Amino acid sequence: MRRKRILIANRGEIAVRIIRACEESGIETVLVVSEADRDSLPARLADKVVCIGSPLPSASYLNIPMIVATAQATGVDAIHPGYGFLAENPALALACENSGIIFIGPRSATMRRIGDKLGARELARQIGIPMNAGSAGLRGFDEVEAKVLELGLPVIFKASAGGGGRGMRIVRERGELKSAFDLASNEARQAFGDGTLFVERYIEYARHVEVQIIGDDFGRVVHLGQRDCSSQRRYQKVIEEAPPVGLSAEMSARISDAALALARSIHYNNAGTVEFLVDKVRDEFYFLEVNTRIQVEHPVSEEITGIDLVREQIRVAFGHPLSIEQSDVCFSGHAIECRITAENARDNFMPTPGRITRFAVPYGSNVRVDTHCYQGYVIGPYYDSLMAKVVATGDDRDTALRNLRAALAAFEISGVSTNIPFLRFLLDQPEFIQADVHIRWVENAAARFLAATA
C-alpha cells in the first residue's frame, strides 16, 4: 500500500512545520513553490517540489486552479493550506471537495458561514455569546451617522470580509467619520473585493484572548486552552502567550464554553480559533471572530498541552476521530512566543530584504524555534517578513520570560536587520512584566523605544 501524500500550498516556516509533521506520520510531501522559493528550506525538505508560477502571489500561492491541477497531477490525497494565502478561502476548500481531494481544514460551507465577520457575529448572537455593541453591514455612509450617535464615540470601522487590520479605522471625532468610512471601505474593497463595513463601540483598554479548538467528523470538539495575543502592532500580533494571566477562573471558563458552543453549533471540524476581546474596564468579554485555520501562534498551545496540532489536523482530515477527549487535555506551565521579522524598528518597521550572512538559533530544553531561514538564505521582497518564531517555556510565567530573554540574547542574525532589539525592549517593559497589557500598548511602547534609541 502506498504512503499517504499531502500537497502543501504554502511557504516559509509553516511549510517546514507541516513537512516535519508529515515526516513523523510517515506521509510523503509535495510542495508547491513560486520561482522565488525554489531554494527555500521547505523546498529542500519536501519529497517533491513543483514550481507553479512567478513570485507574484496571484500567480502562485493564490492560484487555485494551478494548485488543484498540481495536486491531481502528483496524485496527492490531501492539501494543507497552512495559514495566510488561501487558508481561509472557501473556494480552495470547495475545489478540493469537487475534485475528490481532502482539504485539511473545515468544510467550505463552514468557512463561508463564519468566514464573513457579520455572519459569524449573527451566529454568535443567536447562541447567546456576549457581543460588543455594533451594527450590521454598512454599505453607504448615510447609515453611519445614526448608528454612531446611538453607540457614542469612539467607534471602530471593520471590514466584513477580512482582517489583518485592513479596512479598520478608529474614529474619535464626529468630523472624521466620513473620511474614515471612505478610507476603510476602499481599503477593504481593494484587499478583499468587498467594501462592506460594520461599526462597533471602540474599547480603549481591550485584551485579545483567543481559544484554540479542534473538531472531528464524529461530533467531538475540544479546546486546548486560551492564548493572550494583546501584544500587537497595527493589528498584527507580536508576542503571544498561554495561558492568559489575570483572567478570573469564572471568566476563563465562560470564554472557553462560548468557543465550544459556537463550534458545536456548526459541527466544526479540524483546527480553528475563536477570538474574543476582553474589556479591562467593564470586566467583560465579547466575541470577535473565528479563524478557520491553524494560527501562527499555535506553538504556545502545543507547548502547554503536549498536543501536536498539525498532526491532529491531518488525523481528523483523513477521517479519524480526535485522539483526545476534553478530559485528556492537561495544562502545564507557561509559554511565550515572539515573532522574529526582517524589519528595522528604528525605521518605521520597514522590511529589510537581503541575504542572511549568519543565522545561529538559540537552543535548550525550554526553547523552541520554528523557522525556514538558514545562513545564506535570501529574504526577498515578495512576501511577509516573518523569519522565525521563538517559543520559551517554564513552570511559571516568570521562568518562561527569563528563558525567552535568554533565547533572544543568544539568537545571532547578520546580513539583515531584525526586530529582535525591539522585542527585547518590549519584554523589559513594566506593563509586560506585570502582564498588564492591552491591544494598543505595543504602539505606545514603540514610541518609547524610538526615543530611547534615537
Side-chain angles (χ1 to χ4, degrees):
M1 182 181 297
R2 78 167 180 85
R3 295 164 62 195
K4 291 185 175 69
R5 186 177 300 157
I6 289 176
L7 182 143
I8 301 164
N10 216 299
R11 63 177 304 279
E13 67 87 15
I14 190 59
V16 173
R17 173 74 181 85
I18 298 166
I19 291 169
R20 298 295 192 199
C22 288
E23 287 176 345
E24 293 169 3
S25 303
I27 297 172
E28 293 180 355
T29 53
V30 176
L31 179 73
V32 293
V33 299
S34 72
E35 292 171 357
D37 285 331
R38 289 179 182 271
D39 195 37
S40 65
L41 182 57
R44 297 183 177 190
L45 296 174
D47 294 306
K48 183 178 179 61
V49 179
V50 180
C51 182
I52 60 169
S54 72
L56 191 68
S58 60
S60 50
Y61 297 110
L62 295 175
N63 189 334
I64 294 176
M66 181 62 74
I67 289 170
V68 173
T70 302
Q72 293 172 322
T74 54
V76 304
D77 302 285
I79 292 177
H80 198 308
Y83 56 71
F85 291 127
L86 294 168
E88 293 184 277
N89 190 326
L92 176 60
L94 181 61
C96 288
E97 292 162 6
N98 291 338
S99 302
I101 299 169
I102 295 167
F103 179 76
I104 303 178
R107 293 172 288 270
S108 62
T110 300
M111 296 174 75
R112 282 195 302 272
R113 184 170 185 187
I114 58 177
D116 176 87
K117 286 187 174 64
L118 287 171
R121 281 168 57 86
E122 177 58 23
L123 175 63
R125 186 193 63 77
Q126 289 174 5
I127 61 177
I129 295 176
M131 303 289 299
N132 188 17
S135 73
L138 302 167
R139 295 190 178 275
F141 183 71
D142 56 338
E143 305 174 50
V144 171
E145 287 190 293
K147 191 63 186 179
V148 170
L149 186 63
E150 174 188 330
L151 294 173
L153 293 169
V155 296
I156 182 168
F157 288 116
K158 295 182 179 180
S160 170
R166 290 171 292 185
M168 297 178 72
R169 288 292 186 280
I170 299 168
V171 182
R172 301 181 184 279
E173 302 290 340
R174 187 169 180 177
E176 300 170 356
L177 278 172
K178 181 66 166 65
S179 61
F181 176 86
D182 290 342
L183 285 169
S185 183
N186 290 336
E187 188 174 64
R189 188 175 297 107
Q190 291 173 8
F192 314 117
D194 183 349
T196 303
L197 304 178
F198 62 99
V199 65
E200 286 184 337
R201 174 172 53 85
Y202 181 66
I203 302 172
E204 291 283 4
Y205 299 102
R207 293 175 66 180
H208 185 137
V209 175
E210 58 189 32
V211 182
Q212 176 68 62
I213 59 168
I214 188 160
D216 61 23
D217 287 322
F218 299 87
R220 186 187 307 166
V221 184
V222 301
H223 76 83
L224 273 64
Q226 301 160 6
R227 299 183 289 252
D228 192 315
C229 302
S230 304
S231 300
Q232 49 187 264
R233 177 181 172 273
R234 295 182 179 175
Y235 308 106
Q236 298 296 316
K237 298 163 187 172
V238 178
I239 306 171
E240 303 101 346
E241 58 184 299
V245 176
L247 288 184
S248 68
E250 184 268 342
M251 178 176 284
S252 180
R254 288 174 61 208
I255 289 173
S256 293
D257 289 346
L260 288 177
L262 188 146
R264 288 169 179 157
S265 73
I266 53 173
H267 308 290
Y268 193 91
N269 64 326
N270 218 273
T273 302
V274 187
E275 304 196 348
F276 300 90
L277 285 181
V278 175
D279 189 327
K280 297 181 67 173
V281 175
R282 293 179 173 86
D283 193 32
E284 187 53 273
F285 73 92
Y286 307 105
F287 172 77
L288 187 60
E289 63 181 347
V290 182
N291 291 129
T292 56
R293 55 174 167 80
I294 195 78
Q295 293 275 88
V296 178
E297 59 271 21
H298 76 272
V300 294
S301 297
E302 293 183 327
E303 291 300 316
I304 66 167
T305 62
I307 295 168
D308 187 318
L309 272 163
V310 178
R311 291 182 67 178
E312 206 69 28
Q313 274 194 294
I314 294 169
R315 175 184 175 85
V316 300
F318 276 93
H320 301 289
L322 285 167
S323 66
I324 51 173
E325 303 274 359
Q326 189 65 63
S327 59
D328 298 321
V329 182
C330 299
F331 304 101
S332 178
H334 200 91
I336 311 177
E337 173 183 292
C338 280
R339 302 189 188 191
I340 311 298
T341 57
E343 296 176 334
N344 186 345
R346 296 183 181 88
D347 186 21
N348 196 32
F349 295 87
M350 287 294 292
T352 57
R355 184 179 297 276
I356 300 171
T357 56
R358 178 161 176 74
F359 193 79
V361 303
Y363 61 90
S365 59
N366 293 308
V367 176
R368 166 179 169 176
V369 178
D370 287 11
T371 185
H372 63 289
C373 294
Y374 57 86
Q375 193 161 303
Y377 177 66
V378 176
I379 298 174
Y382 310 107
Y383 311 111
D384 69 73
S385 58
L386 182 66
M387 298 178 69
K389 302 181 309 198
V390 180
V391 186
T393 57
D395 291 338
D396 52 42
R397 187 176 188 267
D398 288 344
T399 305
L401 184 51
R402 284 197 302 271
N403 291 336
L404 184 55
R405 288 194 185 105
L408 291 179
F411 209 140
E412 298 180 33
I413 304 176
S414 301
V416 298
S417 295
T418 76
N419 68 333
I420 289 178
F422 180 60
L423 292 172
R424 296 179 67 184
F425 177 85
L426 291 179
L427 297 183
D428 287 337
Q429 296 306 294
E431 301 98 324
F432 191 83
I433 294 170
Q434 297 162 15
D436 184 22
V437 301
H438 55 83
I439 59 174
R440 303 284 290 189
W441 91 270
V442 168
E443 294 180 23
N444 298 334
R448 298 198 298 267
F449 172 80
L450 293 175
T453 57

